[in-house]
Amino acid sequence: RKEVEQDPGPFNVPEGATVAFNCTYSNSASQSFFWYRQDCRKEPKLLMSVYSSGNEDGRFTAQLNRASQYISLLIRDSKLSDSATYLCVVNQSSASKIIFGSGTRLSIRP
Amino acid sequence: GAGVSQSPSNKVTEKGKDVELRCDPISGHTALYWYRQRLGQGLEFLIYFQGNSAPDKSGLPSDRFSAERTGESVSTLTIQRTQQEDSAVYLCASSLSFRETDTQYFGPGTRLTVL
């Protein structure tokens, strides 16, 4: 089993829709969690950190469920510019490891 | 201010040759990371530096790979006797430190093609 797993997609949704995807992790000792966004042939960029209480940044909401070992990302009122690959990142600083998921591809259509 | 820079941006080499990839992190960032991303795949964590030392080198794919960092600044990733399977984009990132909440900032990557 991979240490971090994501549904590869692609998710193809119309503009304005709400879309959500999850990421599961296998190591319960994982300590911090992030969502990164990667556009085609570009480097990843931080979208948001994920906190235990859940956090929101505009149209984006991230949640962490430690009991079930997953994090989620919800995008409301999706825009064409949201089309990208979304990477889940798990930091196991006690083990000196940072693990990226393979990414979920999102495509927003007009 | 300047972000993370990497050079070269593209490198084409013949199988069996050695290559050296360079990363200049953001000034003042003590942590530096190397990743590999094959076409259409996720990021594979290779190694990180805290200062000039790498606490764990087990992520390097083989003994043909080595990395060093000097002056808590520039890092080089060296691949000896390159193989076609080494073809990928090699990404470098830096952060203030290797703490849980430190954001990583990525460079544009070096696209390595081994013929």
Side-chain angles (χ1 to χ4, degrees):
Chain A
R1 184 186 171 191
K2 287 184 182 177
E3 290 187 87
V4 176
E5 292 203 67
Q6 294 184 248
D7 182 339
F11 285 64
N12 190 325
V13 302
E15 199 173 2
T18 295
V19 60
F21 23 86
N22 288 344
C23 164
T24 58
Y25 60 95
S26 61
N27 190 331
S28 60
S30 299
Q31 293 161 298
S32 55
F33 309 87
F34 307 87
W35 284 103
Y36 275 72
R37 171 196 168 126
Q38 186 173 27
D39 293 293
C40 189
R41 292 185 168 258
K42 298 283 189 180
E43 70 273 21
K45 291 185 179 174
L46 179 69
L47 179 65
M48 57 199 302
S49 303
V50 187
Y51 302 117
S52 297
S53 54
N55 47 301
E56 190 174 307
D57 182 4
R59 299 181 293 108
F60 298 83
T61 301
Q63 293 275 358
L64 166 63
N65 185 318
R66 283 194 184 272
S68 301
Q69 294 183 202
Y70 74 86
I71 65 172
S72 63
L73 179 68
L74 178 81
I75 305 175
R76 289 182 299 278
D77 187 24
S78 52
K79 311 291 184 191
L80 294 176
S81 57
D82 294 334
S83 297
T85 296
Y86 290 83
L87 303 166
C88 163
V89 182
V90 174
N91 185 337
Q92 300 173 6
S93 52
S94 60
S96 301
K97 287 175 74 169
I98 298 173
I99 305 167
F100 276 73
S102 302
T104 296
R105 214 150 44 92
L106 175 65
S107 179
I108 308 297
R109 63 179 187 271
Chain B
V4 177
S5 61
Q6 292 185 246
S7 60
S9 54
N10 277 286
K11 176 73 177 177
V12 181
T13 190
E14 293 179 349
K15 180 181 170 180
K17 301 271 185 168
D18 297 351
V19 295
E20 195 171 275
L21 312 180
R22 176 186 168 113
C23 172
D24 283 88
I26 293 173
S27 177
H29 280 193
T30 62
L32 184 149
Y33 314 81
W34 282 101
Y35 296 88
R36 176 169 72 177
Q37 187 171 32
R38 292 197 169 105
L39 187 63
Q41 298 188 19
L43 273 71
E44 179 185 358
F45 179 52
L46 300 179
I47 191 170
Y48 92 96
F49 290 87
Q50 184 60 41
N52 292 332
S53 57
D56 183 356
K57 299 182 180 180
S58 62
L60 294 174
S62 76
D63 59 9
R64 297 185 294 104
F65 287 71
S66 62
E68 64 174 20
R69 188 180 185 195
T70 55
E72 298 199 359
S73 179
V74 172
S75 175
T76 53
L77 177 69
T78 302
I79 309 173
Q80 295 178 309
R81 305 181 302 282
T82 51
Q83 303 293 312
Q84 289 181 330
E85 71 213 36
D86 299 333
S87 296
V89 175
Y90 289 82
L91 289 158
C92 173
S94 71
S95 64
L96 279 172
S97 70
F98 192 74
R99 284 183 315 171
E100 298 168 14
T101 54
D102 280 342
T103 301
Q104 292 184 56
Y105 296 87
F106 281 82
T110 293
R111 185 173 299 276
L112 175 66
T113 303
V114 182
L115 302 176

